[in-house]
Amino acid sequence: MKQILITGANRGIGLELVRQCLAADWQVIACCREPGQAGELQSLQCEQLEIVRLDVSDPSQVAALGGQMQDRTLDVLVNNAGVMGGEHQTLFDLDFDAWEETFRVNTLAPVRMIATLVPALERASLPRILTISSQMGAMSRDSKGAYIYRTSKAAVNKAMQLVANELAERGIIACPVHPGWVKTDMGGPHADIDVTASASGILALIDRLKPEDSGEFFNWNGTPHPW
């Protein structure tokens, strides 16, 4: 049975990924900051689901997770946990404290997770890492505002490209993916697609990733996204 670890699994895309992976008979490690408050996630409890308390921005908690995974095999890591960065995101109204915190969650945490879980990933026959990014971090998009969120995603895109290059010799595939503009708490009710479509597209992409795809930036539907 394939094993997948998903961060930010208590809501939105993360929660839907858990649902669809369980339906596909995956063993799922679902991570979130407060499992006791994750009612919808708890309602999915079954033998295939392991719910883990994890604040991805806390190095000690990530290290503890690494200890729990030291003798296990991980086929797929999905770095999904993320934050928007608050309301003050224009040049003359920037919350610099929120900017630092957003980088800790959106940029540093995925890299820390990967470095910690490489041993578990190396035990898999085709290990894959997907980091949920955003087209808002693409250099090809000419836009204004959302300084905090956009820069955190632009940075994690580059970090994933570097990760892919470094882990290629270990046979580990790593890619950032734009999940679409999704109807979630973050995306809002007027977004283009729902979580079901986004999650199913992401899982289809995971299934067809090959080593030569590593380091590419993809859309949720598997098409390449301009950097």
Side-chain angles (χ1 to χ4, degrees), residues 4-70:
I4 186 169
L5 188 150
I6 302 165
T7 65
N10 59 309
R11 63 178 184 172
I13 297 168
L15 180 62
E16 184 60 24
L17 285 170
V18 172
R19 286 196 184 99
Q20 293 191 24
C21 285
L22 291 174
D25 203 30
W26 285 61
Q27 186 72 31
V28 180
I29 303 169
C31 302
C32 63
R33 286 183 298 177
E34 298 292 342
Q37 299 176 19
E40 288 187 80
L41 179 61
Q42 294 287 353
S43 72
L44 302 176
Q45 191 65 260
C46 62
E47 289 185 5
Q48 293 167 233
L49 176 62
E50 179 181 352
I51 301 175
V52 175
R53 180 186 302 277
L54 178 68
D55 180 345
V56 295
S57 67
D58 184 333
S60 64
Q61 290 189 32
V62 175
L65 175 65
Q68 295 170 31
M69 297 294 296
Q70 64 181 353

Side-chain angles (χ1 to χ4, degrees), residues 83-89 93-106 147-149 151-152:
V83 295
M84 192 68 196
E87 298 179 357
H88 304 284
Q89 298 202 39
D93 183 23
L94 267 173
D95 184 337
F96 285 89
D97 291 335
W99 204 347
E100 290 179 2
E101 176 61 22
T102 301
F103 259 76
R104 279 192 286 271
V105 176
N106 291 1
Y147 275 55
I148 294 172
Y149 186 73
T151 55
S152 72

Side-chain angles (χ1 to χ4, degrees), residues 27-205:
Q27 186 72 31
V28 180
I29 303 169
C31 302
C32 63
R33 286 183 298 177
E34 298 292 342
Q37 299 176 19
E40 288 187 80
L41 179 61
Q42 294 287 353
S43 72
L44 302 176
Q45 191 65 260
C46 62
E47 289 185 5
Q48 293 167 233
L49 176 62
E50 179 181 352
I51 301 175
V52 175
R53 180 186 302 277
L54 178 68
D55 180 345
V56 295
S57 67
D58 184 333
S60 64
Q61 290 189 32
V62 175
L65 175 65
Q68 295 170 31
M69 297 294 296
Q70 64 181 353
D71 297 319
R72 298 171 67 172
T73 298
L74 184 61
D75 296 281
V76 178
L77 166 63
V78 179
N79 288 309
N80 170 70
V83 295
M84 192 68 196
E87 298 179 357
H88 304 284
Q89 298 202 39
T90 60
L91 179 59
F92 302 109
D93 183 23
L94 267 173
D95 184 337
F96 285 89
D97 291 335
W99 204 347
E100 290 179 2
E101 176 61 22
T102 301
F103 259 76
R104 279 192 286 271
V105 176
N106 291 1
T107 309
L108 305 186
V111 177
R112 182 178 287 120
M113 288 287 295
I114 292 166
T116 301
L117 295 174
V118 159
L121 287 159
E122 284 187 299
R123 297 185 191 103
S125 58
L126 185 64
R128 287 145 289 171
I129 300 164
L130 254 69
T131 294
I132 304 301
S133 183
S134 173
Q135 65 180 7
M136 291 176 71
M139 294 296 184
S140 57
R141 288 178 65 88
D142 189 11
S143 53
K144 296 187 295 184
Y147 275 55
I148 294 172
Y149 186 73
R150 291 183 195 277
T151 55
S152 72
K153 292 302 187 179
V156 82
N157 282 352
K158 187 61 181 181
M160 290 306 106
Q161 190 182 64
L162 294 169
V163 164
N165 291 340
E166 187 159 354
L167 296 184
E169 63 185 24
R170 299 173 185 251
I172 300 175
I173 300 166
C175 297
V177 60
H178 168 55
W181 184 22
V182 188
K183 295 174 183 175
T184 62
D185 290 345
M186 188 179 292
H190 304 298
D192 293 333
I193 60 173
D194 59 24
V195 291
T196 303
S198 178
S200 62
I202 290 167
L203 291 176
L205 173 61

